[in-house]
Amino acid sequence: MQATMEKENEQQAQQEPPRNERRGLITALTIILSVILAVIIFMVVWYWGDSYPDLSEFRESIAIQGLDEGATPAGIEVFKPTAGNYSSEEMYFVAANMKDGTSRIYVTGKSHGYYGCVTLADENGEPFTEGINGIALDNYTMWVASGTTIYVDHSTSNNGVVNDIISKAIANEAYLNPAEDEDAEDAADDSADEEAEEEAEEYEMQSVEFTGSFAANCNADFIFLYYGTSTNYLYVGETRSSKDTTRQVATASGDTNSAIMLAYQESTGAAYGLVNLSDTYDADGNEVAAPKISSMYCIPDSITGAAVTDSAGTNELALIQSNGYVSSTMKVYDFSSSGVKKSSMTYANMYGSSFRFDGLYGKAGSAYTDGTIKVYTADSGYLDYEYTLPALAGELAVGSDDETIFVLFKSGASGYKALVRQIVRDVYKIDLPGKD
């Protein structure tokens, strides 16, 4: 009897885990559940706990096209043609990089709505696959920022480039989304349908081809064209990390600025649509046209977009600063004569050496340099407005009234949607305070 009981106790002991093992299992489960709960709380706070009250001062403008087709918005231009069939309408051009490596421009009219899109092509007519960072347009020229290069489509006819983009966008849209015609459908027979399908298969998306390119002389991370009262300027800027000490300087108010933005003066009849340097040569000694840097701006780190506007008679510089996936900041500085004084600081004074142009040489074969370029500094002492916006705000544009600023977001792209707090699928705009 006793032997039987001992055997049963032994079997029971083998079936039941020791008490310390049970405690360890409970502890492990508790830790796992705690981690899961912490992750849930973090996700709730991350995705639903965000707040952007400054966004209420902005208004929705146009829907960002192509997001469901794999487009990642990269640049925006707002332009009202002065000649051609579309001269009476403010147009919105949104450039985007596609999942297949190509790039497009989506065209929307303020009154008409969405017109369509065009693809970009290189000088040989092949699909452009270098990736783009921004777009700028005027009456004769389109500039596209890519890497350290500015690609150009230049025309000798007024609004020739703009009208080319719009007309090709309309043709592409007619192919991609043909208008329904019930009478024609009823009248078509099977052979006609087969012929239409064959023609559709042969259709190629119409493209806008670049006519040339030049070195940007910086990382061309964003681009903007300013329309002044008498002179226009193309701005090309770089997005530098605060850890990059290449061009770090301290401002009068104690800020640390890490990047530069270059200003090129427009000249519609010149090469690349810009004022060019004289006596410039390539590495082989061939004389080449190269845009001249008119002036520079010393700007903060992590800038992804810029715009200059004469809002309410005040010359304002707006900069978008990226803060990763958390938020963006739009800073607006007073650059009028009553605000930031015209700088007497040259590049050589500020950075300790002359500015060297990329890949350019003088007559003697030496590097083409210039230390006399004036540099203007974005300083918090002249900060007029500051807005906290949703993450991944990028390029800026200014409306035809020269007072409305448009903000493009890329958070609606498929590669970012899972990471950002607030997905933005529209372009937003703001009339700066002080507008009449």
Side-chain angles (χ1 to χ4, degrees):
M1 180 73 174
Q2 184 175 357
T4 302
M5 291 180 62
E6 288 177 355
K7 187 174 182 180
E8 289 177 354
N9 290 336
E10 184 179 347
Q11 290 177 344
Q12 185 174 1
Q14 291 175 351
Q15 293 174 357
E16 294 181 5
R19 185 175 299 177
N20 60 343
E21 289 185 12
R22 292 199 301 273
R23 287 178 179 174
L25 181 61
I26 293 172
T27 301
L29 289 173
T30 302
I31 293 173
I32 292 172
L33 291 173
S34 299
V35 170
I36 293 174
L37 181 60
V39 170
I40 292 173
I41 293 173
F42 171 79
M43 296 297 286
V44 169
V45 173
W46 178 261
Y47 285 105
W48 291 283
D50 65 317
S51 177
Y52 300 102
D54 291 347
L55 194 60
S56 63
E57 299 186 39
F58 292 70
R59 309 185 308 281
E60 292 181 0
S61 176
I62 62 167
I64 301 173
Q65 302 291 332
L67 294 176
D68 297 330
E69 302 171 356
T72 298
I76 182 172
E77 178 64 279
V78 179
F79 184 75
K80 191 173 185 179
T82 57
N85 297 329
Y86 316 100
S87 58
S88 61
E89 185 174 20
E90 185 171 77
M91 309 294 294
Y92 309 99
F93 302 87
V94 175
N97 294 309
M98 309 303 293
K99 278 187 175 181
D100 63 1
T102 61
S103 298
R104 291 183 181 180
I105 299 174
Y106 291 88
V107 184
T108 302
K110 185 174 183 179
S111 303
H112 176 276
Y114 181 57
Y115 277 98
C117 68
V118 295
T119 54
L120 293 178
D122 62 21
E123 295 178 55
N124 299 316
E126 297 297 323
F128 184 78
T129 57
E130 298 299 317
I132 61 177
N133 297 325
I135 180 176
L137 282 163
D138 77 347
N139 295 321
Y140 294 86
T141 312
M142 174 180 70
W143 298 274
V144 171
S146 175
T148 57
T149 303
I150 303 299
Y151 291 88
V152 181
D153 181 13
H154 184 63
S155 172
T156 56
S157 64
N158 187 15
N159 283 276
V161 173
V162 171
N163 290 321
D164 185 43
I165 293 172
I166 299 172
S167 61
K168 288 179 177 179
I170 292 172
N172 287 335
E173 181 64 12
Y175 159 68
L176 294 172
N177 296 292
E180 294 183 2
D181 188 337
E182 293 182 4
D183 294 335
E185 264 185 34
D186 293 339
D189 56 20
D190 291 341
S191 61
D193 289 340
E194 289 177 5
E195 184 179 346
E197 287 178 8
E198 289 177 2
E199 291 178 357
E201 288 177 0
E202 295 175 358
Y203 184 88
E204 292 185 7
M205 286 280 286
Q206 296 193 41
S207 302
V208 175
E209 296 182 13
F210 294 123
T211 57
S213 63
F214 65 91
N217 295 296
C218 66
N219 294 330
D221 297 314
F222 56 89
I223 191 169
F224 172 79
L225 184 69
Y226 165 68
Y227 294 89
T229 53
S230 58
T231 307
N232 302 335
Y233 291 93
L234 180 72
Y235 293 95
V236 180
E238 59 186 13
T239 304
R240 283 193 181 270
S241 165
S242 60
K243 297 178 182 179
D244 190 335
T245 59
T246 306
R247 292 195 181 100
Q248 272 192 355
V249 295
T251 73
S253 298
D255 311 326
T256 299
N257 288 0
S258 303
I260 59 170
M261 181 172 69
L262 313 182
Y264 297 91
Q265 185 177 335
E266 179 203 49
S267 178
T268 56
Y272 310 119
L274 302 169
V275 172
N276 288 274
L277 293 161
S278 59
D279 297 327
T280 51
Y281 301 83
D282 62 18
D284 297 323
N286 302 309
E287 189 168 10
V288 293
K292 177 182 180 181
I293 296 173
S294 175
S295 61
M296 292 187 186
Y297 289 75
C298 174
I299 60 176
D301 62 270
S302 305
I303 299 301
T304 57
V308 178
T309 179
D310 293 321
S311 175
T314 301
N315 190 224
E316 305 274 14
L317 169 66
L319 298 174
I320 284 287
Q321 190 171 41
S322 172
N323 300 310
Y325 289 104
V326 180
S327 63
S328 303
T329 303
M330 188 169 95
K331 298 180 178 182
V332 184
Y333 301 85
D334 179 2
F335 262 72
S336 66
S337 57
S338 61
V340 175
K341 302 302 180 184
K342 294 304 178 184
S343 175
S344 60
M345 182 68 71
T346 65
Y347 184 90
N349 295 146
M350 181 171 286
Y351 296 106
S353 62
S354 294
F355 183 84
R356 178 170 177 166
F357 284 80
D358 291 339
L360 289 183
Y361 302 87
K363 284 185 176 180
S366 59
Y368 201 105
T369 60
D370 189 347
T372 65
I373 302 170
K374 294 293 182 67
V375 182
Y376 306 97
T377 303
D379 189 302
S380 60
Y382 301 105
L383 188 64
D384 274 354
Y385 316 108
E386 186 169 351
Y387 305 93
T388 300
L389 301 175
L392 301 178
E395 268 215 339
L396 301 176
V398 173
S400 56
D401 61 2
D402 198 34
E403 296 187 341
T404 303
I405 293 181
F406 294 79
V407 185
L408 179 68
F409 295 84
K410 63 172 64 175
S411 56
S414 59
Y416 299 102
K417 289 191 293 185
L419 301 173
V420 298
R421 291 178 165 186
Q422 182 168 327
I423 297 172
V424 182
R425 297 178 64 91
D426 297 285
V427 174
Y428 275 72
K429 63 182 179 180
I430 184 172
D431 298 327
L432 292 180
K435 178 183 175 182
D436 296 332

